[in-house]
Amino acid sequence: MLARRITTYALKRSFLKRSQQWHIRQRQMSSTAPVVNSPSSTHAAVLSGITTELDRLAPRIELRADQIKILEGPGDFYDTLKNKIKRAKKRIYLSTLYIGKSEHELVSCIRQALLQNKDLKVSILTDALRGTREAPEPSCASLLSPLAMDFPGQVEIRMYHTPNLTGFRKRFIPKRINEGWGLQHMKLYGIDDEVILSGANLSSDYFTNRQDRYHLFSSKRVADYFAQIHHTMCRVSFLLEPSNLSGTYSLVWPKENAAPSPLEDPKSYVTSTTELFEPLIAASAPSQAPSSTQNTAFNTTIYPLLTLPRSLNNELPALQSLLATPLPHGSSYLFTAGYFNPHHEVTTSLLAASGRPNTSSDDEVPVSTTVLTASPWANGFYGSKGVSGMLPPAYTLLSRRFLHAAIRVAPGAVTLREWRRGTVGLAGGWTYHAKGLWLTLPSSSSPPNQKTDDSAIATLSLCSGPAVTIIGSSNYTVRSYSLDVEVGAIVVTTDPGLQARLRKEEENLLRYSKIVTEEDLKGGERRVGWRVRVAMWIVRLVGGSL
């Protein structure tokens, strides 16, 4: 027991020290706007600086740009997923928040693949709170239980439970809102030697009218790496055991699990889980760094990102490092999150990266930032009853506060846009769930100071396409970095073809957006009442997060 306590303390101290170092480094590098004037600051030099910093924070996996396919919308995502599953030969691993309780077609595809191939192994990981929320009515768990019953040697269903919701909280916090205390939020969809990284869950809206992002990596190394992440999390999650009655089940904690139950010993659970995952996100060793003799076909690098509640997080320092990179004039960031409540360190870094340097003249083009988020009418909670219905106006209030800070800290450099495609709940209405960051460097032939009423579209027209993007499950919030399990990757590429595909992805998201101002968010139907403000305060008071 004493050894366990010493290990726990050492891990916490080590993590906090690393985290503090990166926070300090970010502030030092970006306290004035990170803009580079020298003509010698080439794209290659900028990307080299980025990868040098990322090599200190995460593993490195190199691949060809043509091994990454960007799927455009929910229909493309669903069709691709079904087709890959039907042709699976060796393995299927799916990490998701939940599978919709009525997704019988998707389950049928998995069943068909299992019947065709007795050697196929299927592993599904969901969240225990969300996956059983409707119980004893039909739920994600009851949908998946027959698969585990019918294919006992081929199928394993696991459900993660947060260590943050135990005892009094678990007994009394309503099911509808208990996810505010932590979830399994990873989205990994692996089939054989391919994997899709996304922010989308597996339910009908994500397959039809909910916009997200979806990157398909056709690389055994990438698929194997994220399979390790998936299966390691399965080892510290509950096992779904089906009963003889159709659709019924129990959640058990196997003795073979690599940690004690989070409901019985949450502190030891966090310690054991941290010890399991630390080696998987260890920074690249010096021997892994690229050399001049390596295969030049590998023109793209990915850096896996992982967040575990109360222990590990290499995403936030990597994001800070990226935003602190000195950039040439005319560079731009596009940042998006469907639920706009960025962690304060993310907000600080975004604003610092966007501000003009003190020595800038009025006619210089700064590093510009476009922030894209869902309008209330594209928010998945729009029209919901009870506390959930207060979330869209809560995000409006947070957007307004961010825009107010941007005007004060980086006037003219930050644009806020809201995405809307119809209205949630009405015919043709979509919701917005995309999240990520794109960094675009200016084209060498770009005019230095082109102005337009629509800065985001103008920036795209001047550039070949983003050289860096972040893809994954994180919403970049306090909750993402302290309560949820998140996974993603930073993609860095010098390939013009992949940069063009990333540009098309940006354009697809911006197409349904418009600029909003601080005044737009203040009055009329955007006015935020006192009930919403009180509800936000109560959630924070009892340890939850939006």
Side-chain angles (χ1 to χ4, degrees):
M1 180 62 71
L2 179 59
R4 174 60 61 86
R5 287 177 180 170
I6 292 172
T7 302
T8 303
Y9 175 74
L11 284 169
K12 286 183 177 179
R13 183 175 62 182
S14 172
F15 173 73
L16 288 173
K17 184 177 180 182
R18 291 196 305 270
S19 178
Q20 289 166 355
Q21 287 174 342
W22 275 103
H23 290 177
I24 292 170
R25 183 179 183 85
Q26 185 271 332
R27 294 189 185 100
Q28 289 174 339
M29 294 179 70
S30 61
S31 58
T32 59
V35 179
V36 175
N37 291 303
S38 171
S40 64
S41 178
T42 65
H43 293 189
V46 171
L47 295 181
S48 177
I50 288 172
T51 56
T52 297
E53 294 296 331
L54 293 177
D55 282 333
R56 301 173 184 174
L57 289 168
R60 156 193 286 264
I61 304 176
E62 295 188 330
L63 66 164
R64 301 187 316 274
D66 61 8
Q67 292 177 283
I68 302 176
K69 180 179 181 181
I70 301 175
L71 309 179
E72 185 169 312
D76 194 10
F77 167 56
Y78 189 37
D79 289 342
T80 299
L81 187 63
K82 288 188 296 180
N83 290 335
K84 299 290 184 184
I85 288 174
K86 289 176 183 177
R87 297 197 296 267
K89 301 298 182 185
K90 300 177 298 181
R91 65 181 177 187
I92 297 172
Y93 63 90
L94 308 175
S95 299
T96 187
L97 175 59
Y98 67 99
I99 297 179
K101 61 186 178 182
S102 60
E103 295 307 315
H104 300 288
E105 182 182 33
L106 179 62
V107 172
S108 178
C109 288
I110 298 173
R111 181 178 292 274
Q112 178 183 337
L114 288 163
L115 290 171
Q116 292 174 347
N117 186 352
K118 300 301 182 182
D119 296 325
L120 179 63
K121 302 295 183 182
V122 175
S123 177
I124 299 175
L125 172 67
T126 74
D127 182 74
L129 297 176
R130 178 63 74 87
T132 61
R133 187 169 69 183
E134 299 91 345
E137 299 300 318
S139 65
C140 169
S142 64
L143 175 74
L144 297 175
S145 179
L147 273 181
M149 170 66 75
D150 297 342
F151 301 93
Q154 294 177 265
V155 175
E156 180 183 70
I157 311 297
R158 292 281 185 154
M159 292 195 163
Y160 166 92
H161 194 292
T162 176
N164 197 46
L165 188 68
T166 61
F168 177 85
R169 285 177 178 171
K170 185 169 177 63
R171 285 195 300 271
F172 293 102
I173 292 175
K175 285 186 176 182
R176 178 62 181 166
I177 63 171
N178 63 9
E179 65 185 68
W181 279 258
L183 295 169
Q184 190 307 104
H185 202 245
M186 298 190 299
K187 282 76 185 227
L188 295 171
Y189 307 123
I191 300 96
D192 292 337
D193 294 338
E194 298 180 300
V195 61
I196 298 173
L197 267 62
S198 180
N201 295 304
L202 302 180
S203 63
S204 58
D205 51 346
Y206 290 95
F207 301 152
T208 54
N209 60 356
R210 190 163 209 185
Q211 182 65 55
D212 215 299
R213 299 177 67 205
Y214 333 84
H215 286 202
L216 170 63
F217 296 83
S218 300
S219 162
K220 186 177 187 303
R221 286 191 64 199
V222 176
D224 285 350
Y225 176 85
F226 286 109
Q228 278 189 288
I229 297 292
H230 169 92
H231 289 297
T232 301
M233 188 55 69
C234 287
R235 294 174 59 201
V236 291
S237 297
F238 284 91
L239 175 68
L240 184 149
E241 285 192 348
S243 70
N244 292 327
L245 297 176
S246 177
T248 58
Y249 59 89
S250 58
L251 296 182
V252 301
W253 193 261
K255 294 180 180 179
E256 299 79 15
N257 272 11
S261 167
L263 299 181
E264 296 178 1
D265 191 350
K267 290 184 178 180
S268 294
Y269 174 86
V270 171
T271 300
S272 299
T273 303
T274 301
E275 292 171 346
L276 287 171
F277 278 98
E278 257 195 329
L280 296 182
I281 63 167
S284 298
S287 60
Q288 292 178 288
S291 68
S292 59
T293 59
Q294 285 182 318
N295 189 343
T296 56
F298 294 127
N299 51 17
T300 301
T301 306
I302 76 163
Y303 293 91
L305 306 173
L306 180 71
T307 302
L308 296 183
R310 297 159 57 181
S311 60
L312 299 178
N313 180 356
N314 71 339
E315 180 181 275
L316 180 56
L319 177 60
Q320 289 178 301
S321 173
L322 183 58
L323 290 171
T325 303
L327 299 175
H329 286 226
S331 299
S332 66
Y333 293 105
L334 172 62
F335 174 81
T336 190
Y339 305 127
F340 190 69
N341 182 23
H343 189 283
H344 65 277
E345 292 286 356
V346 175
T347 300
T348 299
S349 298
L350 279 169
L351 295 179
S354 307
R356 292 178 185 268
N358 295 330
T359 57
S360 285
S361 60
D362 291 339
D363 61 349
E364 285 184 321
V365 179
V367 175
S368 63
T369 298
T370 298
V371 174
L372 176 63
T373 189
S375 81
W377 299 274
N379 188 296
F381 295 100
Y382 178 78
S384 297
K385 297 179 180 179
V387 176
S388 298
M390 297 184 182
L391 288 174
Y395 291 124
T396 289
L397 179 60
L398 294 168
S399 294
R400 193 176 83 200
R401 289 173 178 173
F402 170 79
L403 197 53
H404 180 76
I407 293 171
R408 186 179 69 254
V409 175
V414 178
T415 302
L416 179 65
R417 302 179 70 95
E418 286 188 342
W419 191 97
R420 181 179 183 181
R421 189 174 178 181
T423 300
V424 177
L426 300 181
W430 283 51
T431 54
Y432 185 77
H433 198 249
K435 64 270 295 183
L437 181 81
W438 297 256
L439 166 59
T440 302
L441 302 175
S443 171
S444 58
S445 59
S446 300
N449 193 21
Q450 177 170 327
K451 295 183 179 181
T452 176
D453 292 336
D454 197 328
S455 58
I457 303 300
T459 298
L460 291 181
S461 68
L462 297 180
C463 305
S464 58
V468 184
T469 192
I470 303 179
I471 177 75
S473 62
S474 175
N475 287 305
Y476 312 106
T477 62
V478 171
R479 171 175 161 175
S480 296
Y481 293 147
S482 60
L483 298 175
D484 292 348
V485 178
E486 308 281 8
V487 73
I490 295 182
V491 179
V492 183
T493 185
T494 59
D495 180 73
L498 180 53
Q499 291 177 2
R501 297 197 296 276
L502 288 169
R503 175 181 173 179
K504 183 179 179 182
E505 182 184 41
E506 285 184 304
E507 292 172 338
N508 182 51
L509 296 178
L510 289 168
R511 185 177 8 160
Y512 295 101
S513 71
K514 70 173 184 178
I515 296 173
V516 292
T517 66
E518 192 176 4
E519 290 301 316
D520 294 331
L521 302 177
K522 281 185 177 179
E525 56 187 338
R526 303 303 298 271
R527 184 177 180 275
V528 179
W530 66 267
R531 290 182 177 85
V532 173
R533 299 170 189 263
V534 170
M536 293 169 68
W537 175 77
I538 291 174
V539 169
R540 288 194 299 270
L541 183 68
V542 296
S545 183
L546 298 178

